[in-house]
Amino acid sequence: PVVGRLRGVFGRVPVSVAGYSVAGIAFMLVVPLALMPLADAVVLPQACLAALRRPKFREEAAAGVYGPAIDLSLLNRHLQDREGVPLIIVGEDTPAVLHQWVASTSRPCNMMDIASMFERTPYEVCVFTHLGYIGEFLNAFMKLAIFVSSMVSGRHPHVDMLMYAHNVNNNMRRALLGLHTTRMRHGRPTADG
């Protein structure tokens, strides 16, 4: 009688647990692929827009994380006549200059540090780090989408990462065009958006 009870308990439980495990894994793999078009059309452009409008790096710059304060007047004068033009700065102190400039400006802006993309996704570098808990959730979703798409395609994840780098640039461009359109609609020629 004891053996019969154990067989009844252990005979069905592992099969049902295995069934739930397979279904759970399939659900986790299908959901990112199914929701990616919706995320790409609606959620990610709005996340880019929110990241552009948020102040960035203020506490770190005030604490001196990016080195001693740098005189940004030359950079501000240079940018004054070139509003809306992408800026590429190259040099040894470039990260410190850009972090301090982004921290000091009140205009919608963002920066992409290519060196940090070796350990993080493009969306994490440009967008999700500025959105708090929502950004952390979106980052987990995006990493799962990258993993699933690389599993389905059979390519190395870094190849798919290049496509997501193009995607983040496209969504940033869409957000910037949206800010520009809103400014022009309201008759504001400055980047206060």
Side-chain angles (χ1 to χ4, degrees):
V2 173
V3 173
R5 278 187 258 162
L6 289 177
R7 185 177 303 136
V9 171
F10 291 111
R12 293 185 63 195
V13 173
V15 173
S16 63
V17 169
Y20 289 132
S21 299
V22 170
I25 290 171
F27 180 76
M28 284 177 41
L29 295 178
V30 170
V31 167
L33 289 180
L35 292 179
M36 195 58 198
L38 176 68
D40 191 39
V42 178
V43 176
L44 295 175
Q46 290 300 317
C48 289
L49 187 62
L52 282 171
R53 289 183 172 160
R54 288 246 170 115
K56 298 164 207 48
F57 312 122
R58 298 230 169 121
E59 293 85 19
E60 293 93 342
V65 172
Y66 306 116
I70 298 171
D71 183 20
L72 300 171
S73 59
L74 179 65
L75 181 61
N76 286 327
R77 279 196 310 264
H78 179 73
L79 293 174
Q80 199 170 28
D81 300 331
R82 293 170 179 83
E83 187 171 317
V85 176
L87 174 68
I88 298 174
I89 299 177
V90 179
E92 190 176 311
D93 294 331
T94 300
V97 170
L98 286 178
H99 279 96
Q100 288 187 24
W101 183 79
V102 169
S104 69
T105 188
S106 61
R107 302 187 312 184
C109 66
N110 207 342
M111 65 173 279
M112 180 185 299
D113 186 10
I114 302 296
S116 62
M117 278 200 219
F118 290 112
E119 67 264 357
R120 301 187 307 172
T121 67
Y123 273 106
E124 187 177 3
V125 170
C126 296
V127 180
F128 299 150
T129 57
H130 309 300
L131 298 179
Y133 292 118
I134 293 172
E136 290 178 20
F137 172 76
L138 290 172
N139 189 31
F141 173 79
M142 187 58 65
K143 286 181 178 180
L144 188 59
I146 291 169
F147 171 74
V148 170
S149 65
S150 67
M151 295 298 287
V152 169
S153 69
R155 293 185 299 247
H156 194 277
H158 289 189
V159 175
D160 288 337
M161 187 68 71
L162 291 173
M163 292 188 294
Y164 285 104
H166 289 288
N167 187 266
V168 74
N169 289 333
N170 185 39
N171 281 326
M172 275 294 180
R173 183 186 57 81
R174 287 167 53 189
L176 288 169
L177 287 175
L179 280 175
H180 179 71
T181 304
T182 302
R183 260 191 351 252
M184 292 300 127
R185 190 178 312 135
H186 295 296
R188 289 183 285 189
T190 62
D192 297 335

